[in-house]
């Protein structure tokens, strides 16, 4: 190969590498008009809950009391918000563990508005109403979760990019939480690892 051809080949290879580099992150579902944001959070450890970075563990099998290991993000009011995160259940000795919550922070109505939980065996379900969203939450599997919340209109939940749950939304103030949290009918032990968590608004 001549020197000229080697330069051309090298330039072509470099262009190919540039094309292969991922572009800036965009919302994974319902694209269009989103602005990335980075809300602050507080770590919540109660009972036998332990948080180590993005690893959330319930170390006990206690079926009562407040057993939680979570991140609680800033409150938002109005507009449309999107959450995205990937979780992997790395161990599940218990069952019915909440993974992701959209929490109603409105005075007089405060409480978990939407809760995505997992049963031993991998069933992902909405705690309020009990609807099955997927059976993808088996130990060792990585699952992508997106919630799109139009405050005052609708809350939509996607599992691995597919819309699985829709519920009407009141107005008011809300916040996102994720980690590992014992539901009222659940118990540990369990370990959940989250990754690639992102937030957008519009």
């Amino acid at each position: 190969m001549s020197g000229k051809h080697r330069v051309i080949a090298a330039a072509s290879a470099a262009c190919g590498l540039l094309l292969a580099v991922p572009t800036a992150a965009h919302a994974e579902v319902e694209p269009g008009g989103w602005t990335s944001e980075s809300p602050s959070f507080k770590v919540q450890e109660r009972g036998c809950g332990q948080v180590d970075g993005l690893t959330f563990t319930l170390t006990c099998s206690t079926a009562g009391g407040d057993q939680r290991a979570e991140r609680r993000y800033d409150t938002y009011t109005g507009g449309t918000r999107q959450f995205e995160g990937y979780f992997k259940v790395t161990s599940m000795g218990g069952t019915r563990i909440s993974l992701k919550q959209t929490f109603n922070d409105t005075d007089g109505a405060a409480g978990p508005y939407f809760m995505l939980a997992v049963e031993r065996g991998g069933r992902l379900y909405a705690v309020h109403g009990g609807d099955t969203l997927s059976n993808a939450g088996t130990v060792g599997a990585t699952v992508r979760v997106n919630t799109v919340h139009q405050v005052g209109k609708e809350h939509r939940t996607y599992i691995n990019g597919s819309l699985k749950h829709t519920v009407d939304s009141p107005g008011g103030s809300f916040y996102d939480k994720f980690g590992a949290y014992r539901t009222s009918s659940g118990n540990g032990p369990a370990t959940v690892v989250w990754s690639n968590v992102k937030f957008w608004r519009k």
Side-chain angles (χ1 to χ4, degrees):
M1 181 184 291
S2 69
K4 178 180 179 180
H5 288 158
R6 281 195 296 271
V7 170
I8 293 172
S12 298
C15 288
L17 288 173
L18 288 173
L19 291 173
V21 173
T23 57
H26 294 285
E28 292 288 345
V29 298
E30 301 187 16
W34 296 101
T35 299
S36 179
E37 60 180 1
S38 299
S40 299
F41 64 87
K42 295 179 180 178
V43 172
Q44 296 183 332
E45 295 177 314
R46 296 184 186 174
C48 66
Q50 297 180 0
V51 180
D52 180 8
L54 286 171
T55 299
F56 303 84
T57 303
L58 302 181
T59 62
C60 63
S61 59
T62 306
D66 194 0
Q67 315 299 332
R68 70 173 68 193
E70 296 180 303
R71 279 189 180 187
R72 186 264 203 226
Y73 282 79
D74 288 344
T75 298
Y76 60 84
T77 303
T80 302
R81 312 289 171 140
Q82 181 170 173
F83 163 91
E84 177 181 274
Y86 293 74
F87 75 84
K88 179 191 293 186
V89 177
T90 59
S91 67
M92 176 66 80
T95 190
R96 303 181 73 83
I97 302 300
S98 176
L99 302 167
K100 198 277 175 182
Q101 299 183 42
T102 303
F103 197 96
N104 191 338
D105 198 31
T106 308
D107 289 342
Y113 159 67
F114 169 80
M115 297 176 70
L116 173 69
V118 61
E119 289 182 335
R120 186 187 300 134
R123 174 179 173 255
L124 300 172
Y125 67 100
V127 172
H128 302 94
D131 293 344
T132 297
L133 278 64
S134 172
N135 291 305
T138 54
V139 172
T142 298
V143 180
R144 175 160 57 97
V145 177
N146 294 74
T147 58
V148 177
H149 188 194
Q150 293 176 274
V151 178
K153 184 177 181 182
E154 197 171 72
H155 183 283
R156 297 180 290 278
T157 304
Y158 293 76
I159 301 297
N160 290 332
S162 297
L163 179 62
K164 297 296 185 180
H165 185 265
T166 302
V167 63
D168 292 341
S169 172
S173 301
F174 299 83
Y175 58 81
D176 290 302
K177 299 175 76 174
F178 66 84
Y181 167 72
R182 186 193 73 82
T183 66
S184 61
S185 59
N187 64 277
T191 299
V192 183
V193 179
W194 282 84
S195 61
N196 298 316
V197 176
K198 301 181 180 71
F199 297 86
W200 297 270
R201 62 177 172 80
K202 67 177 177 181

Short mmCIF file of all heavy atoms in Angstrom, two decimals, residues 87-92 99 116-125 133-144 159-160 191-192:
data_model
loop_
_atom_site.label_atom_id
_atom_site.label_comp_id
_atom_site.label_asym_id
_atom_site.label_seq_id
_atom_site.Cartn_x
_atom_site.Cartn_y
_atom_site.Cartn_z
N PHE A 87 -31.92 -1.71 36.55
CA PHE A 87 -31.70 -2.42 37.80
C PHE A 87 -31.40 -3.89 37.52
O PHE A 87 -31.81 -4.48 36.53
CB PHE A 87 -32.90 -2.30 38.75
CG PHE A 87 -34.09 -3.13 38.38
CD1 PHE A 87 -34.18 -4.47 38.74
CD2 PHE A 87 -35.14 -2.59 37.65
CE1 PHE A 87 -35.28 -5.25 38.39
CE2 PHE A 87 -36.24 -3.34 37.29
CZ PHE A 87 -36.30 -4.68 37.66
N LYS A 88 -30.67 -4.49 38.46
CA LYS A 88 -30.41 -5.92 38.45
C LYS A 88 -30.61 -6.45 39.86
O LYS A 88 -29.97 -5.97 40.80
CB LYS A 88 -28.99 -6.22 37.97
CG LYS A 88 -28.65 -7.72 37.96
CD LYS A 88 -27.16 -7.96 37.75
CE LYS A 88 -26.70 -7.53 36.37
NZ LYS A 88 -25.29 -7.91 36.12
N VAL A 89 -31.52 -7.38 40.02
CA VAL A 89 -31.68 -8.07 41.31
C VAL A 89 -30.56 -9.11 41.38
O VAL A 89 -30.54 -10.06 40.59
CB VAL A 89 -33.05 -8.74 41.42
CG1 VAL A 89 -33.16 -9.51 42.74
CG2 VAL A 89 -34.18 -7.72 41.30
N THR A 90 -29.62 -8.92 42.27
CA THR A 90 -28.48 -9.85 42.35
C THR A 90 -28.72 -10.96 43.35
O THR A 90 -28.05 -11.99 43.29
CB THR A 90 -27.19 -9.10 42.68
OG1 THR A 90 -27.33 -8.44 43.94
CG2 THR A 90 -26.86 -8.08 41.58
N SER A 91 -29.65 -10.75 44.28
CA SER A 91 -30.06 -11.84 45.18
C SER A 91 -31.46 -11.54 45.69
O SER A 91 -31.83 -10.38 45.88
CB SER A 91 -29.09 -12.00 46.35
OG SER A 91 -29.15 -10.89 47.22
N MET A 92 -32.25 -12.60 45.91
CA MET A 92 -33.62 -12.42 46.37
C MET A 92 -34.01 -13.60 47.24
O MET A 92 -34.49 -14.63 46.76
CB MET A 92 -34.57 -12.29 45.17
CG MET A 92 -36.05 -12.19 45.55
SD MET A 92 -36.48 -10.70 46.45
CE MET A 92 -36.58 -9.54 45.10
N LEU A 99 -39.00 -1.46 44.02
CA LEU A 99 -37.78 -1.06 43.33
C LEU A 99 -37.77 0.43 43.01
O LEU A 99 -36.76 1.10 43.14
CB LEU A 99 -37.65 -1.85 42.02
CG LEU A 99 -37.61 -3.37 42.16
CD1 LEU A 99 -37.80 -4.01 40.79
CD2 LEU A 99 -36.31 -3.81 42.79
N LEU A 116 -43.32 0.28 41.77
CA LEU A 116 -42.96 -0.90 40.98
C LEU A 116 -42.22 -1.85 41.90
O LEU A 116 -41.21 -1.49 42.51
CB LEU A 116 -42.06 -0.51 39.81
CG LEU A 116 -41.47 -1.68 39.01
CD1 LEU A 116 -42.57 -2.39 38.22
CD2 LEU A 116 -40.37 -1.18 38.07
N ALA A 117 -42.73 -3.09 42.03
CA ALA A 117 -42.11 -4.05 42.93
C ALA A 117 -41.83 -5.36 42.20
O ALA A 117 -42.34 -5.61 41.10
CB ALA A 117 -43.01 -4.31 44.14
N VAL A 118 -41.02 -6.20 42.84
CA VAL A 118 -40.64 -7.48 42.26
C VAL A 118 -40.92 -8.59 43.26
O VAL A 118 -40.67 -8.44 44.46
CB VAL A 118 -39.16 -7.49 41.82
CG1 VAL A 118 -38.22 -7.26 43.01
CG2 VAL A 118 -38.80 -8.77 41.08
N GLU A 119 -41.46 -9.69 42.77
CA GLU A 119 -41.65 -10.89 43.58
C GLU A 119 -40.51 -11.87 43.30
O GLU A 119 -39.89 -11.83 42.22
CB GLU A 119 -42.97 -11.58 43.23
CG GLU A 119 -44.20 -10.84 43.70
CD GLU A 119 -45.46 -11.59 43.35
OE1 GLU A 119 -45.46 -12.39 42.39
OE2 GLU A 119 -46.48 -11.36 44.03
N ARG A 120 -40.25 -12.75 44.26
CA ARG A 120 -39.31 -13.83 44.00
C ARG A 120 -39.78 -14.61 42.77
O ARG A 120 -40.95 -14.96 42.65
CB ARG A 120 -39.24 -14.78 45.21
CG ARG A 120 -38.16 -15.85 45.05
CD ARG A 120 -38.21 -16.88 46.16
NE ARG A 120 -38.02 -16.27 47.46
CZ ARG A 120 -38.78 -16.54 48.52
NH1 ARG A 120 -39.79 -17.37 48.42
NH2 ARG A 120 -38.53 -15.96 49.68
N GLY A 121 -38.90 -14.84 41.83
CA GLY A 121 -39.27 -15.48 40.57
C GLY A 121 -39.27 -14.52 39.41
O GLY A 121 -39.25 -14.93 38.25
N GLY A 122 -39.30 -13.17 39.71
CA GLY A 122 -39.10 -12.20 38.65
C GLY A 122 -40.31 -11.40 38.22
O GLY A 122 -40.20 -10.54 37.34
N ARG A 123 -41.47 -11.67 38.80
CA ARG A 123 -42.66 -10.90 38.40
C ARG A 123 -42.53 -9.46 38.87
O ARG A 123 -42.35 -9.17 40.06
CB ARG A 123 -43.92 -11.52 39.00
CG ARG A 123 -45.19 -10.70 38.74
CD ARG A 123 -46.43 -11.37 39.34
NE ARG A 123 -47.59 -10.52 39.24
CZ ARG A 123 -48.15 -9.84 40.24
NH1 ARG A 123 -47.62 -9.94 41.46
NH2 ARG A 123 -49.21 -9.08 40.05
N LEU A 124 -42.65 -8.51 37.91
CA LEU A 124 -42.68 -7.09 38.20
C LEU A 124 -44.14 -6.63 38.19
O LEU A 124 -44.87 -6.92 37.24
CB LEU A 124 -41.88 -6.30 37.17
CG LEU A 124 -40.39 -6.67 37.06
CD1 LEU A 124 -39.76 -5.95 35.87
CD2 LEU A 124 -39.65 -6.31 38.34
N TYR A 125 -44.55 -5.91 39.21
CA TYR A 125 -45.95 -5.55 39.31
C TYR A 125 -46.12 -4.17 39.94
O TYR A 125 -45.22 -3.65 40.62
CB TYR A 125 -46.72 -6.59 40.12
CG TYR A 125 -46.34 -6.64 41.59
CD1 TYR A 125 -47.12 -6.01 42.56
CD2 TYR A 125 -45.20 -7.31 42.02
CE1 TYR A 125 -46.78 -6.05 43.90
CE2 TYR A 125 -44.86 -7.36 43.36
CZ TYR A 125 -45.64 -6.72 44.30
OH TYR A 125 -45.30 -6.75 45.62
N LEU A 133 -46.60 -6.17 35.22
CA LEU A 133 -46.00 -5.40 34.13
C LEU A 133 -45.08 -6.26 33.28
O LEU A 133 -44.95 -6.04 32.08
CB LEU A 133 -45.22 -4.20 34.69
CG LEU A 133 -46.05 -2.95 35.02
CD1 LEU A 133 -47.05 -3.20 36.14
CD2 LEU A 133 -45.12 -1.80 35.40
N SER A 134 -44.40 -7.22 33.90
CA SER A 134 -43.42 -8.04 33.19
C SER A 134 -42.98 -9.17 34.11
O SER A 134 -43.22 -9.13 35.32
CB SER A 134 -42.21 -7.18 32.80
OG SER A 134 -41.17 -7.95 32.27
N ASN A 135 -42.36 -10.17 33.53
CA ASN A 135 -41.70 -11.22 34.31
C ASN A 135 -40.19 -11.18 34.12
O ASN A 135 -39.49 -12.18 34.27
CB ASN A 135 -42.25 -12.60 33.91
CG ASN A 135 -43.69 -12.78 34.35
OD1 ASN A 135 -44.01 -12.64 35.52
ND2 ASN A 135 -44.58 -13.08 33.41
N ALA A 136 -39.69 -9.98 33.80
CA ALA A 136 -38.28 -9.82 33.44
C ALA A 136 -37.35 -9.65 34.64
O ALA A 136 -36.14 -9.63 34.48
CB ALA A 136 -38.11 -8.62 32.51
N GLY A 137 -37.90 -9.55 35.87
CA GLY A 137 -37.07 -9.21 37.01
C GLY A 137 -36.42 -10.38 37.71
O GLY A 137 -36.31 -10.39 38.95
N THR A 138 -35.98 -11.36 36.95
CA THR A 138 -35.33 -12.53 37.54
C THR A 138 -33.93 -12.17 38.05
O THR A 138 -33.31 -11.21 37.59
CB THR A 138 -35.22 -13.67 36.52
OG1 THR A 138 -34.58 -13.18 35.34
CG2 THR A 138 -36.60 -14.19 36.15
N VAL A 139 -33.44 -12.94 39.00
CA VAL A 139 -32.12 -12.70 39.57
C VAL A 139 -31.07 -12.76 38.46
O VAL A 139 -31.03 -13.70 37.66
CB VAL A 139 -31.80 -13.73 40.67
CG1 VAL A 139 -30.34 -13.61 41.12
CG2 VAL A 139 -32.74 -13.55 41.85
N GLY A 140 -30.25 -11.71 38.38
CA GLY A 140 -29.16 -11.65 37.41
C GLY A 140 -29.51 -10.94 36.12
O GLY A 140 -28.61 -10.64 35.33
N ALA A 141 -30.80 -10.67 35.87
CA ALA A 141 -31.21 -9.99 34.63
C ALA A 141 -31.18 -8.48 34.82
O ALA A 141 -31.57 -7.96 35.86
CB ALA A 141 -32.61 -10.43 34.23
N THR A 142 -30.71 -7.77 33.81
CA THR A 142 -30.72 -6.31 33.83
C THR A 142 -31.98 -5.81 33.15
O THR A 142 -32.30 -6.23 32.03
CB THR A 142 -29.48 -5.74 33.12
OG1 THR A 142 -28.29 -6.18 33.81
CG2 THR A 142 -29.51 -4.22 33.11
N VAL A 143 -32.71 -4.94 33.82
CA VAL A 143 -34.00 -4.44 33.34
C VAL A 143 -33.98 -2.92 33.30
O VAL A 143 -33.54 -2.28 34.26
CB VAL A 143 -35.15 -4.92 34.26
CG1 VAL A 143 -36.50 -4.41 33.76
CG2 VAL A 143 -35.16 -6.44 34.37
N ARG A 144 -34.45 -2.36 32.19
CA ARG A 144 -34.56 -0.90 32.07
C ARG A 144 -35.97 -0.45 32.44
O ARG A 144 -36.95 -1.02 31.98
CB ARG A 144 -34.24 -0.44 30.64
CG ARG A 144 -34.46 1.05 30.43
CD ARG A 144 -33.71 1.57 29.21
NE ARG A 144 -34.05 0.90 27.98
CZ ARG A 144 -34.94 1.37 27.09
NH1 ARG A 144 -35.60 2.47 27.33
NH2 ARG A 144 -35.15 0.71 25.96
N ILE A 159 -41.14 -0.92 30.60
CA ILE A 159 -40.16 -1.93 30.98
C ILE A 159 -39.43 -2.36 29.71
O ILE A 159 -40.07 -2.80 28.74
CB ILE A 159 -40.82 -3.15 31.64
CG1 ILE A 159 -41.61 -2.73 32.89
CG2 ILE A 159 -39.76 -4.20 31.99
CD1 ILE A 159 -40.78 -2.15 34.00
N ASN A 160 -38.12 -2.19 29.72
CA ASN A 160 -37.29 -2.51 28.55
C ASN A 160 -37.83 -1.86 27.28
O ASN A 160 -37.83 -2.46 26.20
CB ASN A 160 -37.17 -4.03 28.38
CG ASN A 160 -36.32 -4.66 29.47
OD1 ASN A 160 -35.42 -4.03 30.02
ND2 ASN A 160 -36.60 -5.91 29.80
N THR A 191 -30.92 -7.92 47.38
CA THR A 191 -29.93 -6.94 46.94
C THR A 191 -30.26 -6.53 45.51
O THR A 191 -30.46 -7.40 44.65
CB THR A 191 -28.50 -7.50 47.00
OG1 THR A 191 -28.19 -7.85 48.36
CG2 THR A 191 -27.49 -6.47 46.51
N VAL A 192 -30.32 -5.23 45.30
CA VAL A 192 -30.63 -4.66 43.98
C VAL A 192 -29.54 -3.66 43.62
O VAL A 192 -29.21 -2.79 44.43
CB VAL A 192 -32.01 -3.97 43.98
CG1 VAL A 192 -32.34 -3.45 42.59
CG2 VAL A 192 -33.10 -4.91 44.48
#
